[in-house]
Amino acid sequence: GKSYCAPKLDHWMGCWNYTEAGTRATEPCPPIPGFDYLQNATFDCRENGTWYVNPATGREYADYSACFNFENAIKEMDKDVIHIYVTIALFCLSFVMISISLVIFFKFRQLRCDRITIHKNLFISYLLTDLFYLVYLSVIHFAEDVVLHNPDWCQFLHVITQYAIVCNFAWMFCEGLYLHTVMMSAFTSGKSVIIACLIIGWGVPVPLTIIYGAVRASLKDNIIACWSSESSFLWIMYAPVVLSMAINVVFVVNIMRLLITKLRQIPEVAQTRKAVRATAILIPLLGLQFLIFIKRPEDKDSTLSTIYQYVLAIFVPLQGAFVSIMYCFCNGEVLSLLKRKWNQHNAMLPGKRKRAQSTSATQYTIVDPMSQVQTSVT
């Protein structure tokens, strides 16, 4: 009877089926960065029913040379390097700004309220996302040996990075849930909302991540190269994310409707415009701009796809920076506290202490971005 080479899983996690002796098996190139997935890898089954062995290494060898197009790879690397460096730089900027914002939020006791508690958790989720994504991005693009050997810690790094991303979107949803709850129901306990948000923000992503990791790990062709290839299984986590953003859209529309109703009671012109402006600043806080990035252009070589990648490379890393600017560095309450702290510091300098002792209680202004109302607090 005929002899066959036994099924084999190679070093690229390519799965080779039974192959008749003396023939050559072919398989599509895997979706690994730098590979041309339209080409085929080959594996020779020798006359004696064993796979081809590379004389230099003494190991069975599947030929993936056709998968790697040198000229195209150089062009792609040039484009990718620019793209990656821009992304890393922006993530670093966001990381620094978020870190400063958290220091401010935790330092001042006057900022200890339910609204700021939600902001703190959102900012921590940004910090974790930036940190894990920076490490994962650096490993995937600058540590080829790690990607090739695909160690367990690198696979875990991918999973924990996805967890941080889902937590980030979960806290964006919590921001919308909190604002909507506070504006629609004045009798709802702030503590109960905070507890619900803690469960949603940090707890709900856990089972989603576990299910995703377990399902993807069960399929060998999905776990190569530190899981850097695209996988439809990501929708296990991203489908709830898209649903949460859709609910946030409903929250924003409802909040805008309520603001317009309230502002119309005030005898002043252009109240609708004020409501629109107050609602518009919620868009980055709730991550609604990401709705336009759900569908990636199918033609990866098109101009539209290039534009999509660069816009995404700017918006995703800078999301945390945008939010920190709008809700910390441009927050009237924060600016007033920082100004008062600076004045107190200057007043304690030599020659200014007497004047500081005669200074009355300082006032600062709290700016509520929802209602655009300013309240003077002593």
Side-chain angles (χ1 to χ4, degrees), residues 184-206:
M184 296 299 167
S185 179
F187 302 101
T188 302
S189 168
K191 185 177 180 181
S192 62
V193 177
I194 294 296
I195 293 174
C197 287
L198 287 171
I199 294 173
I200 295 171
W202 300 116
V204 171
V206 171

Side-chain angles (χ1 to χ4, degrees), residues 21 32 48 70 114 127-129 135 137 154 188 191 202 264 276 292-293 300 306 328 336-337 342 345 347 351:
I32 295 175
N48 61 358
F70 187 75
D114 292 342
L127 202 68
L128 293 176
T129 301
V135 175
L137 207 61
C154 190
T188 302
K191 185 177 180 181
W202 300 116
R264 279 179 177 171
V276 172
I292 65 177
F293 297 117
K300 294 183 179 180
T306 302
C328 181
S336 296
L337 285 171
W342 177 254
H345 172 74

Side-chain angles (χ1 to χ4, degrees), residues 15-29:
C15 186
W16 302 90
N17 208 341
Y18 286 102
T19 303
E20 186 178 345
T23 63
R24 171 173 290 180
T26 60
E27 287 289 337
C29 297

Side-chain angles (χ1 to χ4, degrees), residues 71-316:
E71 292 184 3
N72 289 340
I74 292 298
K75 293 178 182 178
E76 288 298 321
M77 286 173 61
D78 288 341
K79 290 197 305 185
D80 283 348
V81 165
I82 298 174
H83 173 269
I84 295 305
Y85 279 132
V86 169
T87 302
I88 288 177
L90 296 180
F91 264 121
C92 289
L93 174 63
S94 179
F95 185 87
V96 171
M97 295 180 70
I98 287 292
S99 300
I100 295 172
S101 299
L102 282 171
V103 170
I104 293 172
F105 284 155
F106 279 101
K107 181 175 179 58
F108 293 103
R109 286 179 297 174
Q110 296 92 329
L111 297 175
R112 293 176 185 174
C113 62
D114 292 342
R115 174 172 55 87
I116 299 299
T117 298
I118 299 292
H119 287 350
K120 286 178 183 177
N121 281 276
L122 174 65
F123 282 30
I124 291 172
S125 72
Y126 276 123
L127 202 68
L128 293 176
T129 301
D130 290 350
L131 177 62
F132 287 126
Y133 205 88
L134 272 171
V135 175
Y136 183 67
L137 207 61
S138 299
V139 169
I140 293 301
H141 291 278
F142 303 114
E144 293 86 353
D145 289 343
V146 173
V147 176
L148 177 62
H149 292 95
N150 195 33
D152 291 340
W153 67 263
C154 190
Q155 298 179 48
F156 178 76
L157 178 60
H158 167 85
V159 175
I160 198 68
T161 300
Q162 297 304 317
Y163 169 75
I165 292 172
V166 176
C167 284
N168 191 211
F169 280 100
W171 277 106
M172 293 180 201
F173 171 76
C174 289
E175 288 279 1
L177 176 65
Y178 174 78
L179 289 172
H180 188 267
T181 303
V182 168
M183 294 196 69
M184 296 299 167
S185 179
F187 302 101
T188 302
S189 168
K191 185 177 180 181
S192 62
V193 177
I194 294 296
I195 293 174
C197 287
L198 287 171
I199 294 173
I200 295 171
W202 300 116
V204 171
V206 171
L208 295 176
T209 308
I210 292 174
I211 293 171
Y212 162 73
V215 171
R216 186 162 181 178
S218 66
L219 301 174
K220 297 299 183 182
D221 59 340
N222 264 262
I223 63 172
I224 57 177
C226 297
W227 299 20
S228 59
S229 60
E230 293 184 8
S231 172
S232 57
F233 293 121
L234 283 167
W235 281 100
I236 293 173
M237 294 184 298
Y238 290 171
V241 166
V242 174
L243 177 62
S244 71
M245 287 193 289
I247 297 174
N248 265 348
V249 171
V250 176
F251 286 161
V252 168
V253 171
N254 216 13
I255 290 171
M256 185 175 178
R257 178 188 60 80
L258 184 63
L259 281 175
I260 292 174
T261 302
K262 286 186 176 182
L263 289 173
R264 279 179 177 171
Q265 300 172 4
I266 303 174
E268 187 178 339
V269 297
Q271 296 301 337
T272 301
R273 210 172 352 176
K274 285 187 175 182
V276 172
R277 188 168 61 248
T279 308
I281 65 174
L282 293 177
I283 291 176
L285 181 69
L286 307 185
L288 300 185
Q289 74 277 11
F290 288 115
L291 287 171
I292 65 177
F293 297 117
I294 293 177
K295 180 64 176 175
R296 182 193 298 269
E298 294 183 2
D299 185 2
K300 294 183 179 180
D301 297 324
S302 65
T303 304
L304 181 61
S305 180
T306 302
I307 294 173
Y308 174 90
Q309 290 178 0
Y310 276 97
V311 171
L312 200 64
I314 293 173
F315 270 92
V316 172

Side-chain angles (χ1 to χ4, degrees), residues 3-11 13-21 25 27 43-45 49-51 60 62:
S3 60
Y4 293 84
C5 289
K8 173 72 177 177
L9 192 67
D10 66 25
H11 59 290
M13 291 299 173
C15 186
W16 302 90
N17 208 341
Y18 286 102
T19 303
E20 186 178 345
E27 287 289 337
F43 207 172
D44 291 335
C45 180
T50 60
W51 293 108
E60 293 175 338

